[in-house]
Amino acid sequence: MIQLPIYEEFAHWLDDILENNEMPEETKAFCFNLYEESDEEHICGVQIIAAGEYDPEDKDGEWACEEVWSSEENIFTVDTSDEEDTSWAHAQELIKEMIEEYLRNGKYSGILSGAAAVAIGFVDGELDIISQ
């Protein structure tokens, strides 16, 4: 179940990025990269990149390495310390739910949904395709 206060913060972060950055014409797909932000496992950073490649047959997600734009240090953080489950998999699921909600109702969702795909995953991990 989506947590409204954190979703509103996430949507504001993503609105700001999508409103104030023109995506390159060669953008084919978007990927939300996840990072462990600290030594404490329960803080997760989120960065969005635009990729100039997308291959639905690429199960390893190598296409997401073809970055043409990145939010760079503009990172959204999620703290799961007050959750029953503080694992990275749970953090990914929470963020995925927020991305899905944004794709349904976000102010600039058309930018994301106009791409061939939107994915999420920890850097150097497997990607989970949210839409294609």
Side-chain angles (χ1 to χ4, degrees), residues 7-131:
Y7 171 73
E8 289 172 351
E9 289 178 37
F10 175 79
H12 178 72
W13 170 78
L14 197 48
D15 285 348
D16 183 58
I17 286 173
L18 297 173
E19 179 177 20
N20 295 306
N21 294 280
E22 190 170 324
M23 294 300 126
E25 283 184 35
E26 61 267 28
T27 299
K28 300 273 190 297
F30 291 95
C31 185
F32 288 84
N33 291 329
L34 307 182
Y35 304 87
E36 288 183 347
E37 275 295 294
S38 70
D39 292 337
E40 301 172 46
E41 292 181 9
H42 56 78
I43 299 177
C44 180
V46 184
Q47 172 193 61
I48 182 173
I49 66 102
E53 305 263 334
Y54 176 66
D55 180 359
E57 302 301 315
D58 176 7
K59 302 303 178 199
D60 294 326
E62 293 298 317
W63 61 266
C65 296
E66 300 301 321
E67 188 178 298
V68 294
W69 179 89
S70 167
S71 67
E72 297 177 354
E73 298 301 315
N74 187 348
I75 294 174
F76 183 79
T77 57
V78 175
D79 183 345
T80 60
S81 61
D82 61 350
E83 299 279 325
E84 191 173 306
D85 183 352
T86 61
S87 70
W88 65 267
H90 181 65
Q92 181 169 327
E93 191 56 38
L94 290 174
I95 297 163
K96 179 181 176 182
E97 288 173 5
M98 291 190 294
I99 296 166
E100 290 170 336
E101 178 63 24
Y102 193 90
L103 285 169
R104 284 189 296 273
N105 298 306
K107 184 174 182 180
Y108 298 103
S109 62
I111 294 171
L112 299 176
S113 61
V118 176
I120 185 174
F122 274 85
V123 174
D124 297 328
E126 289 184 23
L127 293 181
D128 185 1
I129 304 297
I130 297 171
S131 74

